Amino acid sequence: MTVLHETPSAVPSVVPPAAPSGTPPAAPSGEDAAPRWTPVCAYTDLLPERGVCALVGRHQIALFRTFDGELFAIGNHDPFSGAQVLSRGIVGTRGGSPVVISPMHRQAFSLVTGVCLDDPAVTVPTYPVRLADGAVEVSAP
C-alpha cells in the first residue's frame, strides 16, 4: 500500500511579516491557490530506503520511498553544513517515525515534519508528494 503525504508544512521555516493592520493581504502574483504538481520520476525509479534529488522550480527537493511504500519530500539543504546533501542521507526510523540522517554531521530529520530530532529549533521544509499514474509528483511553491 502506498501512503502519500500532502503535509501542510510545505511553508518555509521563515514566515514573511504580516501586513500592517487594515491592509488587505497581497494576492499571489499570477498564481492561483491550488497546488501545482510537478512530475519528477516514475515510482519504480525510487529505490526503497534511498533518496534522490529533484529540482522543482528553484527548489532542490529530496525524495524518499520507504520499504512500506510511503513517499516523502523534504528540502535537500542541510542547515548544519550548508550543503545540498539530505537526499544522500541514511534513511531509517527513530521512535517509529521515518527519518533521514544527514551524511555530513549526522543530524536526524523527520521525513514527516522536517524537524531535526537532534535540535528541534532547526527544520527543513517538507513538500506535498503524491503518486499519479505511476509518476511521483511534488508540489513546491
Side-chain angles (χ1 to χ4, degrees), residues 66-101:
T66 59
F67 277 124
D68 60 2
E70 288 185 279
L71 295 171
F72 297 94
I74 65 171
N76 195 40
H77 181 259
D78 176 355
F80 292 96
S81 70
Q84 299 281 356
V85 295
L86 291 182
S87 63
R88 298 294 183 196
I90 299 168
V91 178
T93 59
R94 190 183 281 181
S97 259
V99 297
V100 62
I101 310 296

Side-chain angles (χ1 to χ4, degrees), residues 6-13 73-74 111-115 123-128:
E6 295 188 31
T7 59
S9 59
V11 179
S13 58
I74 65 171
L111 291 177
V112 176
T113 65
V115 172
T123 63
V124 295
T126 60
Y127 298 94

Side-chain angles (χ1 to χ4, degrees), residues 103-127:
M104 298 297 285
H105 299 293
R106 308 289 189 243
Q107 285 86 7
F109 293 90
S110 168
L111 291 177
V112 176
T113 65
V115 172
C116 177
L117 302 180
D118 302 307
D119 184 351
V122 178
T123 63
V124 295
T126 60
Y127 298 94

